[in-house]
Amino acid sequence: MDTASDDAYLKAVSDLNGLQTNHQILEQIKASGGRINENSLPEFGAFIEKLGHQVDDLNKLNVIHVTGTKGKGSTCAFIQSILSHMPGQSLKIGLFTSPHLIEVRERIQINGQPLSRGDFAKYFYQTYDRLKAPLPALRKVAEESPSMPMYFRFLTLMAYHTFLAENVDVAIMEVGVGGEYDSTNVVRQPSVCGIASLGIDHQGALGTTIEEIAWHKAGIIKKDVAVFTVDQPESALRVIRERAAERQAPEPTVVSPLSADVTLGIAGDHQRTNAALAVALCREWARKQGISNASDAWITQGLAEAQWPGRSQTFASPRHAEMTWYVDGAHTVESMAACAAWFVGASSGPRVLLFNAAHNRSAQALLAVLSAKGCDFVEAVFCPNLSRRADSANFTVLNDAELAQQKESARIWATHSPLCKTTVLPAIDDAVAYIEATYAATPTHVLVTGSLHLVGGVLDAAKGSI
C-alpha cells in the first residue's frame, strides 16, 4: 500500500468536497432563471487559460462528445471498449463520466482504468493550486464570475488538463447536465457528437418539455461535425435537426438498435440502442482519423467485453451465499421501466427493493413504474444517499430532510403495494446491513435502484468494489 499516495488522495477528496456540488449548481440556475448559464462557457474558458492551456488546445484531444438523458454513460463505456480493440492502433483512451460510484477517481480514466490515487492527487493539485495562485490573474468574464469552478466543473477542468498532460489519442467526454452550457461543451472542434435517448429530467435547469430539453442537449452540435442520435420523440428529433442546421452541421443520422444476435457485455435489451450509437460514433471517429479496418471483429469484441458498473449489474453477496444483488442506477421513468423489465426477467422470488430517488426527481413516478411491472417485492427498504465514504460526502442536503423524503417514498409505495412491508433506515450502510441480517438465510434477490449514488454506496457496502 502506498501510504503517501493514499494520504494525498484523501486530502484531495477533502479539498474537492469543499467546492459546491452539482445539486447547488442546479438550484442556483433555477433561482436565476437560467442567467448563470450565459457566462458558464466563457468562464470555463478563462479557467482553462489560467491553467496554462488555450481552449483550442482541446481540439487535439479528438473528442467524442456524448449527451442524452439516459444511456449516455453506457454509450461511453461501449465506445471505450470498442476503441480499445481497434487493431494495430494501441490507442491511449481518456474517458470522463459522472457520477462516480465509490471513488471520485472513477470519473477520469485512462485505457479503461480510473486514475491511480497518486495520479488523481497529482493532477488535482496541479489544477487546484494553479487556480488558487494569484498570478497569472484570472480573466473575469463578469463582475460576479467565480474565482473557482464548482465541483463538477472543477472535475471537468481537471479531466481536460489530465488528458492534455497524458497526451491521449481520444477523449470520450460525457456531458454532465444538458449540453449547451455544460462545461464539457467548451471544446470547439470535437471529432464527432452523439445524442443518446432523451426524456424528462433536470427540469429546473433544462425546461419542462421534451423540446426544451432537446434544445439543450443539441447544444453540443458543432459546425461541420457529424452528429448521431437514436430514435427520439418526433418533436425532439425536429429540434435536433433544427439546431444542426443552425450550427451548419451535417444532417443528424438516426441509428437503429443492434439486433438480438449481437453479444453485449452490458445487460438489458435497452443497451442495444446505446451500443448502436457507440458503434456509429466509433466508425465516424476512425474515419476522421483516417483509420480503416477490413473487418468488424474489433467492434464485435468491444461490444461483447464492454463493462459499466452500476447499470444492469448482478453480483452474488460475498458474505451470504443465498443472496444476489441487482443494481441499476435508473432515475428516469423510461430507464426505470427498462430496469424493471431486466430485473423481472433475470430474477425470482423472494424479491426485496432498496430504493432512493434523488431530491430533484419524482419518487411517485418511479415507484409507479416499479409497481406496474410486477416485481412483487416482499419488502421495500428506503434510505437517504448517505455513506460513510469521504468520496460520497454531501454537504448540501440536511440529513433530516433526506430522511423525511424517504419516509414519504415509503408512504407512496404503500399505496401501490399495501401488502408489501416497508422499512426506512438512516443510511446506505444501515440498509445493506438490515437486508443481509433479515434475508441471509433464504434465496433472496435484491433490486437496488432510483439513484446512481445509492448504487455506488451499495456496491461499496455489499460488495467492497465496483
Side-chain angles (χ1 to χ4, degrees):
M1 179 180 293
D2 187 343
T3 304
S5 293
D6 286 346
D7 289 346
Y9 174 74
L10 293 175
K11 184 177 184 298
V13 170
S14 177
D15 284 335
L16 177 62
N17 285 341
L19 304 174
Q20 291 181 321
T21 69
N22 198 44
H23 169 60
Q24 285 181 308
I25 294 173
L26 295 175
E27 291 301 312
Q28 289 179 8
I29 290 171
K30 284 190 283 187
S32 73
R35 292 187 302 278
I36 288 177
N37 280 333
E38 296 173 3
N39 291 328
S40 60
L41 290 183
E43 288 169 351
F44 199 78
F47 289 134
I48 288 175
E49 293 166 7
K50 188 162 173 61
L51 289 186
H53 307 300
Q54 297 298 315
V55 172
D56 283 344
D57 292 342
L58 305 182
N59 297 338
K60 69 180 72 169
L61 296 176
N62 303 311
V63 168
I64 299 177
H65 202 188
V66 183
T67 190
T69 305
K70 53 191 183 294
K72 62 184 187 294
S74 298
T75 299
C76 289
F78 279 120
I79 293 169
Q80 195 284 140
S81 185
I82 292 169
L83 292 182
S84 72
H85 288 88
M86 185 176 286
Q89 297 302 317
S90 298
L91 297 174
K92 192 170 191 178
I93 304 168
L95 172 64
F96 176 68
T97 66
S98 61
H100 59 277
L101 294 175
I102 297 180
E103 294 195 19
V104 67
R105 61 192 180 93
E106 299 162 25
R107 297 187 183 217
I108 305 175
Q109 301 187 19
I110 303 288
N111 290 339
Q113 295 299 315
L115 291 182
S116 68
R117 286 187 159 203
D119 281 344
F120 184 93
K122 178 179 74 174
Y123 289 122
F124 177 90
Y125 282 111
Q126 285 182 6
T127 306
Y128 190 83
D129 291 345
R130 291 179 193 179
L131 290 175
K132 288 285 190 179
L135 294 175
L138 177 68
R139 176 173 58 83
K140 283 283 190 175
V141 174
E143 184 177 349
E144 66 275 11
S145 292
S147 58
M148 283 287 285
M150 299 178 196
Y151 188 99
F152 176 80
R153 290 171 182 168
F154 181 95
L155 287 170
T156 309
L157 187 66
M158 178 181 162
Y160 274 131
H161 171 67
T162 300
F163 295 154
L164 287 169
E166 290 283 335
N167 196 29
V168 301
D169 296 298
V170 53
I172 307 163
M173 302 296 295
E174 179 193 357
V175 167
V177 175
E180 174 75 17
Y181 302 115
D182 189 78
S183 51
T184 62
N185 202 31
V186 71
V187 62
R188 291 169 177 162
Q189 292 182 326
S191 291
V192 62
C193 298
I195 302 176
S197 298
L198 299 183
I200 304 297
D201 198 15
H202 296 301
Q203 296 97 309
L206 306 181
T208 58
T209 68
I210 195 69
E211 295 82 7
E212 290 174 311
I213 290 169
W215 184 91
H216 279 275
K217 304 290 185 181
I220 70 168
I221 296 173
K222 304 295 192 301
K223 181 180 179 181
D224 297 327
V225 175
V227 57
F228 295 84
T229 189
V230 300
D231 188 36
Q232 309 281 11
E234 186 54 41
S235 58
L237 190 57
R238 183 180 68 250
V239 173
I240 293 171
R241 287 171 172 150
E242 289 172 353
R243 296 224 71 190
E246 292 167 2
R247 296 283 174 91
Q248 297 180 286
E251 171 80 8
T253 300
V254 180
V255 301
S256 299
L258 297 182
S259 61
D261 61 346
V262 178
T263 301
L264 302 182
I266 308 174
D269 286 343
H270 59 289
Q271 295 293 352
R272 300 194 174 279
T273 297
N274 303 326
L277 179 59
V279 169
L281 294 172
C282 288
R283 289 187 188 280
E284 174 62 13
W285 185 88
R287 187 193 70 78
K288 289 284 287 287
Q289 309 311 310
I291 300 171
S292 60
N293 294 283
S295 167
D296 281 348
W298 59 291
I299 293 176
T300 302
Q301 190 174 1
L303 291 171
E305 296 184 14
Q307 295 183 347
W308 197 229
R311 289 78 169 177
S312 305
Q313 180 182 0
T314 305
F315 66 92
S317 170
R319 294 183 287 268
H320 306 287
E322 298 288 342
M323 182 170 291
T324 304
W325 296 83
Y326 296 76
V327 298
D328 190 286
H331 52 266
T332 67
V333 168
E334 296 87 354
S335 59
M336 187 60 73
C339 167
W342 162 71
F343 178 67
V344 169
S347 70
S348 57
R351 296 169 173 149
V352 173
L353 172 67
L354 176 51
F355 181 89
N356 173 292
H359 36 258
N360 61 340
R361 296 186 170 102
S362 171
Q364 173 83 46
L366 298 181
L367 291 171
V369 171
L370 281 175
S371 174
K373 290 296 182 178
C375 295
D376 297 327
F377 297 108
V378 297
E379 183 168 2
V381 180
F382 302 86
C383 70
N385 282 334
L386 298 174
S387 170
R388 297 187 179 96
R389 181 176 286 273
D391 299 58
S392 301
N394 186 344
F395 304 112
T396 66
V397 179
L398 295 175
N399 292 6
D400 289 347
E402 279 284 278
L403 197 57
Q405 181 173 330
Q406 302 321 307
K407 291 177 180 178
E408 174 62 13
S409 293
R411 186 198 64 76
I412 292 169
W413 180 253
T415 65
H416 290 293
S417 187
L419 298 181
C420 178
K421 180 182 178 182
T422 59
T423 301
V424 179
L425 292 164
I428 295 172
D429 304 81
D430 300 312
V432 170
Y434 169 80
I435 291 170
E436 289 184 336
T438 306
Y439 295 95
T442 57
T444 303
H445 292 182
V446 186
L447 174 62
V448 181
T449 191
S451 162
L452 276 169
H453 297 286
L454 173 64
V455 165
V458 169
L459 286 171
D460 190 25
K463 185 171 182 276
S465 68
I466 58 174

